[in-house]
Amino acid sequence: MNRGLYSRRRRGIGILPVLGWLLLVGLGVWLTWYGFTWSEEEQLEITPSPAAASGTTLQATVRPTATSPPPPTATSVPIATPLPPTPPPPLPTPYIVAGADGVNVRDGPDITHTRLGHLDPGAQAALTGQDGDWWRIQYDGAPGWVYGELVATYNYDAGQVEPTPTTPAEQTGSVPIAPESWPQEVFQLINAGRAEQGLPPYTYNETLELAAQLHGEDCYRQGECSHTGSDGSDVKTRVQRAGYDAAGATEVIVYSSSPQAAVDWWMDETPPNDPHRSTLLSTWVTEIGVAVVPTGRGNYYFIADFGRPNTP
């Protein structure tokens, strides 16, 4: 009987260590599982809610992991560049408009200059200069001149269109020299025209040439040329002053570019309105002298003085 009681006690005492060991193992497993779950799920926190206090299921709330803001990125800010100043609008270009009758275009500021062409009524041309009552224009890509009273000007300002400049020779009083052979070429061309009309040739006279040359130099210094000198002299006075004993004298003048062009202009007239042509074909005067003087504007003064000497 005692042996049986002893056996039951011993059996009871042997079970307790086993149960304790099992509890320790279970606790270790639970702690291991808890630590693993905590690290893998980024600190999962079990937050009891009011419902959990009454025995309902707990809810899991995930805390967002705090992250550092990215470093600021340097960005370039464009520097404002000042705009260049706006240029003022260009001034309107001066121009002329031909009147109701149109206008002749010449190669110099006088009716004795060579006629280059004609502007029809209403035709326009750029205005580039002025000489007294004459306007300098652009005509077929070159300078031309029109009489001011026969045209209207537009956009004209004295500051935009200046007088035709003088050359250094004009300012000092010296006169440039034209081609030396031109006076004789003019003389020969005139006599050739007379021969075509069955007229005798003129005789060349150097005193008449001197009178023409002096008048040409006077014209050069004035910047224009006519049959009246700067001192009011006429052709007869000038040839006599040069030493020619004249019973009579006459003169033709033209602004032109060559001997042939000058003679052609004089001859390009129709009777009875042909004062220059009739002088070249005169039977009353018998002698001639010719001078050619540059104008300073790209062409020349062609002057021919004719005379009839006094006879005893």
Side-chain angles (χ1 to χ4, degrees), residues 160-196:
Q160 294 174 264
V161 177
E162 299 180 356
T164 304
T166 58
T167 64
E170 288 176 303
Q171 296 170 1
T172 60
S174 61
V175 178
I177 300 173
E180 187 176 352
S181 63
W182 279 12
Q184 283 297 315
E185 289 184 38
V186 172
F187 169 63
Q188 293 168 7
L189 288 168
I190 290 174
N191 275 342
R194 289 176 64 83
E196 291 177 0

Side-chain angles (χ1 to χ4, degrees), residues 64-70:
T65 303
T67 57
S68 301

Side-chain angles (χ1 to χ4, degrees), residues 269-283:
E269 294 177 334
T270 302
N273 299 315
D274 60 341
H276 301 91
R277 181 177 181 275
S278 62
T279 299
L280 268 60
L281 302 178
S282 174
T283 58

Side-chain angles (χ1 to χ4, degrees), residues 34 87 95 126 137 139 146 198 217 266 277 301 312:
Y34 181 80
Y95 65 96
I137 64 170
Y139 181 74
V146 293
E217 293 177 3
W266 286 326
R277 181 177 181 275
Y301 299 118

Side-chain angles (χ1 to χ4, degrees), residues 65-138:
T65 303
T67 57
S68 301
T73 303
T75 57
S76 59
V77 179
I79 300 174
T81 303
L83 296 176
T86 303
L91 295 175
T93 302
Y95 65 96
I96 61 98
V97 176
D101 298 324
V103 64
N104 288 327
V105 182
R106 300 187 181 276
D107 65 359
D110 194 275
I111 59 172
T112 58
H113 279 283
T114 300
R115 181 176 176 273
L116 300 177
H118 183 81
L119 292 179
D120 293 331
Q124 300 180 10
L127 174 58
T128 60
Q130 181 181 11
D131 188 345
D133 294 332
W134 290 75
W135 296 112
R136 184 179 64 198
I137 64 170
Q138 281 294 108

Side-chain angles (χ1 to χ4, degrees), residues 9-31:
R9 286 179 180 172
R10 196 171 181 181
R11 252 193 320 261
I13 296 171
I15 293 172
L16 291 175
V18 172
L19 292 174
W21 183 83
L22 289 175
L23 289 173
L24 291 173
V25 170
L27 180 62
V29 171
W30 181 84
L31 290 173

